[in-house]
Amino acid sequence: MQIFNSLTGRKDEFHTHEPNVVRMYVCGDTVYDFCHIGHARSKVAFDIVRRYLEYRGYEVNFVRNITDIDDKIIKRAAENGESIQSLTDRFTKYMHEDYDRLGILRPTHEPKATEHIAGIIAMTQQLIDKGYAYVASNGDVLYSVSKFEAYGKLSGRDLEDMRAGARVAVEEAKHDPADFVLWKRAKPGEPFWPSPWGDGRPGWHIECSAMSLDLLGSHFDIHGGGMDLKFPHHENEIAQSCAATGDTFATFWMHNGFVNVDDEKMSKSLNNFFRIRDVLDSGKLRDPEVLRFFLVSSQYRGPINYSLVQIEQADAALGRLYTALRDVTPASAFEPSEATRRFEEAMDDDFNTPDAIAALQTLATEINRAKSAGDAALASSLAAELKKLAGVLGLLQSAPEAFLQKGVGASSLSDADIEKLIGDRKAARAGRNFKEADRIRQQLSDAGIVLEDKPDGTTTWRRN
């Protein structure tokens, strides 16, 4: 298995620190607002990494943190006139609801920053004792980047260039304009915890270093997150963790690409910023799985373009997979076909999900051929294979009939209306009133209902 390692800038052969066990840390959310589709892109990408590693037989210890204290949280709680815990509890609940709807598995551990204050203080003290950090004149504890020779190795940034672009005038407490905060001295009215350097709270970067150390140890296998976290967040994590422990920290660094909206980068300033729940409840998706399929249809490292056309294409492609499974009972066991080899080959190549989906589509075509040839045993075996492989991507989790009969947007015809019209059409055909039968079929078609007449005289339907 090859994984593109941001630390080396190439695909490296995957290996683990401990045989058959993967220890994996992915940066989670700051819980003060609703999750957007950029969050969904990252969480789905690493959910698939986790699922495939488990499919390959690894035991995966998957940690995804929650940042429940920072400047944005403090400001939002004050604006709302509520407590910080009330705010963060509510948006943690909303986050779980959104991710559950997208089929994202809950992590093995989901630590909160406020639950790891003791570890954060201990790591900060280690860095001070080793000469990598200092207490500044304003009471903050700062990391001295000049003391860590490897600083910039992940992002490829040069320290002198960073200094040249820094605003020294507003950062007088820093020894070096590139230094960053480990512990913030509390301002009046802010939440705080006692520490050897006075009342305060953790800086953002130190949280992940302390939590990963506590739950995964000083050397683990995979650290993941969005491309926007590579610098400064992940760069600072490396500097802190390696300096404090003297160990390797993460072997593989994985970063997912950005989401564009109609070929423009998603941002609040452009008003093209979409929350997950707004997309799922917009009436433009048949099922949340359509959004997941769309996100999986591009390789995780590249950008992905969100548009209504792309969503419609994802709906059609996923619908074809479900249609292949219709009227087929998957076998309890199957002999893997060439499609499984192609699927695994694609996923072993840095989780190439587009090629993996192509293998699923080939299976769907073969199922349809087996059904047409009347080979129920072969169709059943291939259906079981399709379900298993699709499950690795978190797809095909609904019953085919239930998925296909869901509509997009508000429909003028209920399920009961459709069944009645199908009954009326059947009666018209039995009475050889083919003009009326055709009229009913056209009425259903105009309402987005596709009929499929079976050789045994029954008719099934799906919403188009």
Side-chain angles (χ1 to χ4, degrees):
M1 184 189 304
Q2 300 273 327
I3 295 179
F4 184 88
N5 190 348
S6 298
L7 193 62
T8 63
R10 63 174 183 264
K11 291 180 184 178
D12 291 332
E13 187 72 26
F14 182 63
H15 60 275
T16 58
H17 188 59
E18 180 182 348
N20 302 316
V21 175
V22 176
R23 286 178 286 174
M24 180 175 174
Y25 188 96
V26 173
C27 289
D29 297 344
T30 302
V31 284
Y32 73 102
D33 206 344
F34 292 101
C35 302
H36 53 70
I37 57 174
H39 293 124
R41 205 286 163 92
S42 181
K43 301 310 180 295
V44 167
F46 290 105
D47 181 61
I48 287 171
V49 171
R50 181 235 191 120
R51 285 173 181 262
Y52 186 65
L53 291 170
E54 290 178 341
Y55 168 83
R56 277 300 206 184
Y58 289 101
E59 176 188 335
V60 181
N61 185 355
F62 184 88
V63 179
R64 191 182 70 214
N65 74 295
I66 291 175
T67 295
D68 59 346
I69 184 68
D70 85 335
D71 291 342
K72 293 176 182 177
I73 289 172
I74 294 170
K75 180 181 178 183
R76 182 63 57 84
E79 290 171 348
N80 292 352
E82 65 178 318
S83 70
I84 286 172
Q85 184 165 352
S86 170
L87 175 74
T88 57
D89 284 353
R90 185 168 75 258
F91 281 104
T92 298
K93 174 178 173 290
Y94 295 151
M95 177 193 74
H96 285 145
E97 289 173 355
D98 290 346
Y99 292 168
D100 287 349
R101 291 177 72 185
L102 286 174
I104 298 168
L105 300 175
R106 296 285 181 99
T108 314
H109 302 284
E110 193 173 54
K112 296 180 178 180
T114 57
E115 298 169 347
H116 286 261
I117 299 297
I120 291 167
I121 291 173
M123 180 173 278
T124 302
Q125 187 63 59
Q126 279 184 304
L127 291 168
I128 293 173
D129 293 343
K130 292 185 174 185
Y132 288 97
Y134 58 93
V135 181
S137 58
N138 64 356
D140 291 347
V141 181
L142 301 175
Y143 186 94
S144 181
V145 295
S146 63
K147 299 293 180 65
F148 188 70
E149 292 183 4
Y151 194 80
K153 67 178 181 179
L154 177 67
S155 60
R157 300 197 180 202
D158 180 79
L159 191 53
E160 287 303 320
D161 292 341
M162 286 186 270
R163 287 177 179 137
R167 295 180 299 163
V168 182
V170 297
E171 301 288 357
E172 294 178 353
K174 292 184 176 183
H175 293 175
D176 186 307
D179 292 350
F180 59 88
V181 176
L182 299 173
W183 185 261
K184 288 190 174 186
R185 187 69 177 266
K187 297 175 183 176
E190 288 187 343
F192 65 84
W193 288 263
S195 80
W197 324 286
D199 294 341
R201 56 189 170 84
W204 176 38
H205 311 300
I206 194 73
E207 296 174 4
C208 288
S209 287
M211 287 187 278
S212 62
L213 176 65
D214 181 51
L215 294 167
L216 298 175
S218 60
H219 182 190
F220 54 94
D221 304 302
I222 298 174
H223 195 313
M227 193 69 71
D228 56 317
L229 298 180
K230 184 186 287 188
F231 184 88
H233 185 52
H234 289 165
E235 193 73 71
N236 291 350
E237 279 190 68
I238 290 174
Q240 295 162 162
S241 298
C242 292
T245 67
D247 209 336
T248 307
F249 197 33
T251 304
F252 286 82
W253 286 83
M254 299 178 65
H255 294 94
N256 65 273
F258 293 116
V259 174
N260 296 325
V261 177
D262 291 326
D263 295 316
E264 289 188 294
K265 184 178 178 181
M266 186 179 70
S267 70
K268 290 181 179 178
S269 62
L270 293 174
N271 198 29
N272 63 355
F273 196 78
F274 292 95
R275 303 187 305 186
I276 294 171
R277 57 185 46 211
D278 290 343
V279 172
L280 297 184
D281 297 332
S282 66
K284 297 177 181 178
L285 271 74
R286 181 195 306 266
D287 187 273
E289 201 174 283
V290 173
L291 180 58
R292 185 180 178 103
F293 186 94
F294 159 73
L295 294 170
V296 172
S297 63
S298 293
Q299 209 271 349
Y300 76 93
R301 282 193 292 118
I304 188 169
N305 187 52
Y306 176 86
S307 69
L308 185 57
V309 171
Q310 299 285 347
I311 290 297
E312 289 172 346
Q313 290 174 351
D315 181 275
L318 183 58
R320 286 191 289 271
L321 297 182
Y322 270 110
T323 299
L325 291 174
R326 198 175 203 173
D327 300 325
V328 180
T329 301
S332 57
F334 65 90
E335 188 69 28
S337 71
E338 173 68 9
T340 291
R341 187 198 64 78
R342 287 179 53 204
F343 179 90
E344 292 176 352
E345 184 179 70
M347 294 297 285
D348 283 345
D349 182 17
D350 195 31
F351 307 98
N352 186 340
T353 50
D355 283 0
I357 288 175
L360 303 185
Q361 292 167 332
T362 297
L363 271 174
T365 299
E366 292 174 356
I367 291 169
N368 290 330
R369 286 174 182 160
K371 288 161 67 174
S372 297
D375 192 338
L378 178 58
S380 179
S381 176
L382 293 170
E385 186 174 11
L386 176 58
K387 284 277 290 181
K388 180 175 181 178
L389 297 181
V392 177
L393 304 182
L395 301 174
L396 302 185
Q397 300 300 292
S398 298
E401 206 70 23
F403 177 88
L404 293 168
Q405 291 184 0
K406 290 181 180 180
V408 178
S411 175
S412 59
L413 295 178
S414 68
D415 290 2
D417 293 334
I418 295 166
E419 294 291 352
K420 181 179 184 305
L421 285 169
I422 289 174
D424 292 345
R425 175 174 174 265
K426 183 177 181 180
R429 294 174 73 187
R432 303 190 66 78
N433 187 350
F434 298 114
K435 184 176 180 180
E436 175 64 7
D438 289 344
R439 185 198 68 77
I440 293 172
R441 187 183 189 101
Q442 187 60 48
Q443 179 185 350
L444 289 166
S445 178
D446 292 343
I449 309 303
V450 178
L451 300 184
E452 297 175 1
D453 293 320
K454 302 293 182 180
D456 62 2
T458 62
T459 299
T460 58
W461 60 273
R462 61 182 172 87
R463 297 185 189 271
N464 188 8

